Amino acid sequence: MTGIIRGKAFVYGANIDTDQIYPGGYLDLTDPERVAEHTLERVDPDFVREVKPGDMIVADANFGCGSSREHAAVALKASGIAAVLAESFARIFYRNAINLGLPLLVCPGIASLVKRHDLLSVDPVVGTVINLTTGATATAQPLSAYVSAILMHGGVKPMIRRKMGLLSPADGTARVDT
Amino acid sequence: MHAVEKILARAAGKERVIAGEIVNCTVDLAGINDLYLQTLRSFAEMGGKRVFAPDRVVMFLDHFAPASTIIQADNQKQFRQFCREQRIDLLMDIDQGVCHQILADRGLVRPGMLLVVTDSHTTTHGAFGAFGTGVGATDLAIILMTGQLWFRVPEVIRINLEGVTGKGVAAKDIILKVIGTLGADYGVYRAIEFTGPLLDRLGVSERMTLCNMTTELGAKTAYIQPDRITFDFLQSHGDTAFPLATTDPGYDYAAEHTFDVTGLRPQVAAPHSVDNVTDIAEYLGRPIDQAYLGTCTGGRVEDIAVAARILQGKRIHSRTRFVVVPASKKVLLEAMAKGYIQTLVEAGATLVTPSCAACLGTHQGVLAAGETCITASSRNFPGRMGDAAAEIFVASPASVAAAALEGKIADPAQYLL
């Protein structure tokens, strides 16, 4: 997540809960590709068809509230979503997404600055957000050192493997130790 | 320090912690549900071979109990296999019920412990003075590997409960009022402590409901300082050792609120948000297709008892289904022994085995498009209990039973003279 992300935005409102991100009827699925097929399907039936790798989600407050189901974060990540920008996030969803290496950026005012399919440029490390369609800009709150370290490792799994001396070359190019 | 800070400090091996600090804690008990096969996958993906402390792990087959699809059955098969391989003796198979109720029934939760389960409603265990919090699959896999997990020490919000509840008003109505007043994201990242004279009149079941529902405020954990009521419950469930944490005098809360429940009427959270809360009077007469009594929020013996009291010798309305799901095997057995199950089934209730059942929209009572349900469970998100075009009202067990009787949303007070 070290580079600039560019992609189009999918915009949602407040209190988008984990049941809306990933419906309970599919919780027995585990393969990320199959999980991704149901991402946001009841909120936005067009999402799965329209999303491309690098795209982003923009939302109002309390994105990811509700269940602890990691499927919600898996679904977004496997859909190609590169970052989620919101006024605020629910805490279990926040941990789940960061653990998977999906950056979540708390970005005050973002909900009113972006419309569906606006093109965004986001620097997740510095927190700079530019709406390339409108020219509007915003700044995300800085990530904590611990969260940054997880993202720099590409997620918590490679970080734990490194800590436990189990890192293989396939685990990425992380250079940050914690 | 606050008691919840002392719990984290003890688990982190530190003298002091302060709110906002990130600490690495040894977890006293880790629970996994059958929704979270990803836990085992993440464990393997991180190179896990042996579970760090299998005696501190509990496996719950509760969300899909019993399995209703072949995939669910296969997931459960893999969990059972993992327990055998890793010598996890605390496998709570499909006959046992919902994780949080099992922990209470078996005396596995006690004051001062740090408890992490792959279920958002782990805040329930604040009722026992424990630090309970929910995480996802990969966080739990880290605990399986290392016995530890990082935590941000939460700020603590104090909710002081005063006054006297009226007829037909239960803990569920009180917490709905709190959620409706403060909002569904009020408690994000923070701990919610309940204090005040009303607690002396609330038993463990009602305290569990209060703490359970703090998840719907976004809270990281909940807390009630253990007292005689807590100790009596724990002793009757076989637990006699209570390492107590207590809050230092003069602790500076992040926020304090007082709710006087005197005059409070039964509440409902109307579709489609848990903080869309009003007096039940606003919706009296709304036709109900299904009434649902159960779950880690509203499926305890006390909840089933109040429903039986309302439906004793009566018959549920012909247009309404009444689904009753005891929260655990122990709850079911006690409700049977006391005749409540007989009363409810004779009145027309459909009995489901102890589990999460339709609460999470998978099976055993899911809703069709256009249907309306009143539920004693915790959530009314779109699609939570089945089709996203169904409407869900969250209310107390008494309100659910009254609606089952009348076929429409009704005030339970008239049946509780």
Side-chain angles (χ1 to χ4, degrees):
Chain A
M1 63 139 252
T2 48
I4 305 278
I5 303 165
R6 276 171 67 110
K8 67 179 183 296
F10 290 86
V11 183
Y12 305 106
N15 297 322
I16 298 294
D17 59 77
T18 48
D19 287 82
Q20 294 181 69
I21 299 169
Y22 191 74
Y26 309 113
L27 284 168
D28 53 1
L29 300 180
T30 50
D31 174 27
E33 297 299 315
R34 291 202 61 199
V35 167
E37 291 169 9
H38 302 288
T39 312
L40 289 161
E41 70 178 19
R42 290 171 181 168
V43 179
D44 180 2
D46 298 327
F47 174 83
V48 169
R49 189 167 41 80
E50 293 180 359
V51 69
K52 298 274 189 302
D55 286 347
M56 283 166 266
I57 282 175
V58 171
D60 209 314
N62 205 24
F63 188 83
C65 59
S67 164
S68 54
R69 64 186 68 163
E70 197 162 301
H71 300 70
V74 170
L76 295 173
K77 174 104 175 161
S79 296
I81 289 294
V84 185
L85 290 67
E87 303 286 337
S88 63
F89 293 95
R91 55 164 291 279
I92 302 176
F93 174 78
Y94 187 86
R95 288 184 76 116
N96 287 344
I98 297 297
N99 280 346
L100 293 177
L102 173 62
L104 302 188
L105 300 172
V106 176
C107 195
I110 192 70
S112 60
L113 291 179
V114 183
K115 301 238 171 340
R116 187 182 180 92
H117 291 185
D118 282 358
L119 187 63
L120 305 184
S121 171
V122 175
D123 183 333
V125 176
V126 181
T128 312
V129 179
I130 305 168
N131 185 334
L132 298 171
T133 304
T134 66
T137 61
T139 304
Q141 291 175 3
L143 301 168
S144 74
Y146 200 92
V147 164
S148 294
I150 294 173
L151 292 175
M152 295 294 273
H153 278 90
V156 78
K157 290 177 213 173
M159 187 169 104
I160 292 287
R161 286 177 67 87
R162 172 176 286 258
K163 276 187 175 176
M164 300 191 80
L166 297 166
L167 191 73
S168 73
D171 285 327
T173 56
R175 293 195 184 85
V176 177
D177 283 308
T178 56
Chain B
M1 279 196 294
H2 192 278
V4 302
E5 294 175 322
K6 290 184 182 177
I7 295 171
L8 289 184
R10 194 255 318 149
K14 297 181 70 158
E15 282 288 310
R16 294 191 63 80
V17 299
I18 55 166
E21 181 180 356
I22 288 178
V23 290
N24 209 33
C25 292
T26 298
V27 171
D28 296 311
L29 197 71
I32 310 166
N33 288 318
D34 51 356
L35 289 188
Y36 297 88
L37 193 66
Q38 181 62 42
T39 306
L40 309 193
R41 295 201 170 178
S42 290
F43 180 74
E45 286 163 15
M46 287 187 287
K49 301 287 183 217
R50 302 302 307 173
V51 169
F52 182 79
D55 58 329
R56 297 209 304 262
V57 176
V58 193
M59 190 77 76
F60 303 100
L61 307 187
D62 57 355
H63 283 62
F64 299 140
S68 58
T69 69
I70 293 168
I71 298 174
Q72 291 169 8
D74 189 64
N75 289 0
Q76 292 182 342
K77 181 182 168 188
Q78 293 186 58
F79 279 116
R80 294 185 188 105
Q81 177 73 18
F82 186 80
C83 287
R84 277 194 296 274
E85 288 169 2
Q86 296 290 341
R87 299 196 179 93
I88 294 168
D89 294 333
L90 292 172
L91 167 63
M92 304 299 161
D93 216 310
I94 59 166
D95 60 324
Q96 293 294 312
V98 184
C99 56
H100 305 302
Q101 191 60 37
I102 294 171
L103 291 170
D105 289 349
R106 291 184 171 235
L108 287 168
V109 53
R110 59 186 70 89
M113 83 190 291
L114 175 58
L115 172 76
V116 181
V117 185
T118 54
D119 189 280
S120 60
H121 289 108
T122 311
T123 56
T124 304
H125 305 288
F128 307 98
F131 189 114
T133 196
V135 297
T138 299
D139 269 336
L140 208 289
I142 292 168
I143 299 172
L144 292 184
M145 286 192 74
T146 66
Q148 297 188 322
L149 194 67
W150 68 271
F151 297 87
R152 180 187 170 281
V153 180
E155 292 84 11
V156 187
I157 296 163
R158 178 172 179 246
I159 295 181
N160 187 50
L161 299 175
E162 295 180 350
V164 181
T165 51
K167 261 187 314 192
V169 175
K172 184 63 166 289
D173 299 296
I174 298 168
I175 190 64
L176 284 175
K177 180 70 179 175
V178 170
I179 295 166
T181 303
L182 299 178
D185 63 348
Y186 180 76
V188 174
Y189 284 102
R190 306 198 278 190
I192 304 279
E193 180 182 20
F194 295 102
T195 63
L198 185 67
L199 288 180
D200 293 339
R201 289 192 287 277
L202 298 182
V204 164
S205 173
E206 291 166 296
R207 294 173 178 201
M208 287 174 76
T209 300
L210 290 181
C211 291
N212 175 290
M213 290 289 290
T214 63
T215 299
E216 310 314 322
L217 287 162
K220 183 191 190 90
T221 195
Y223 189 78
I224 292 174
Q225 185 63 40
D227 59 9
R228 185 188 49 76
I229 291 168
T230 327
F231 300 143
D232 286 350
F233 179 93
L234 291 168
Q235 276 165 351
S236 70
H237 288 71
D239 215 346
T240 53
F242 315 121
L244 267 189
T246 53
T247 301
D248 295 330
Y251 175 78
D252 189 16
Y253 286 90
E256 299 190 42
H257 302 274
T258 291
F259 287 83
D260 186 333
V261 303
T262 308
L264 182 71
R265 303 288 303 130
Q267 303 286 298
V268 288
H272 295 283
S273 172
V274 284
D275 58 2
N276 185 20
V277 175
T278 63
D279 280 15
I280 203 167
E282 295 285 317
Y283 290 97
L284 292 182
R286 173 72 68 99
I288 291 295
D289 299 293
Q290 177 165 299
Y292 187 89
L293 181 68
T295 79
C296 59
T297 313
R300 280 178 275 281
V301 171
E302 293 81 353
D303 305 322
I304 295 169
V306 76
R309 202 171 144 201
I310 289 169
L311 285 161
Q312 174 73 50
K314 301 194 181 81
R315 176 80 201 168
I316 65 167
H317 196 276
S318 58
R319 74 171 155 222
T320 303
R321 315 181 290 271
F322 185 28
V323 178
V324 176
V325 196
S328 70
K329 176 182 191 168
K330 186 167 191 284
V331 169
L332 173 61
L333 289 171
E334 189 174 339
M336 283 170 68
K338 290 183 172 169
Y340 305 147
I341 298 296
Q342 178 95 14
T343 296
L344 293 177
V345 173
E346 283 178 355
T350 304
L351 184 68
V352 169
T353 52
S355 64
C356 302
C359 175
L360 71 160
T362 51
H363 59 166
Q364 300 183 124
V366 297
L367 305 171
E371 290 193 320
T372 300
C373 178
I374 188 167
T375 178
S377 63
S378 53
R379 290 181 176 145
N380 59 353
F381 303 154
R384 174 70 185 179
M385 296 180 75
D387 198 283
E391 297 212 304
I392 304 169
F393 288 84
V394 175
S396 75
S399 295
V400 168
L405 180 61
E406 295 198 15
K408 59 192 184 192
I409 293 181
D411 187 336
Q414 60 193 301
Y415 301 109
L416 295 169
L417 299 174

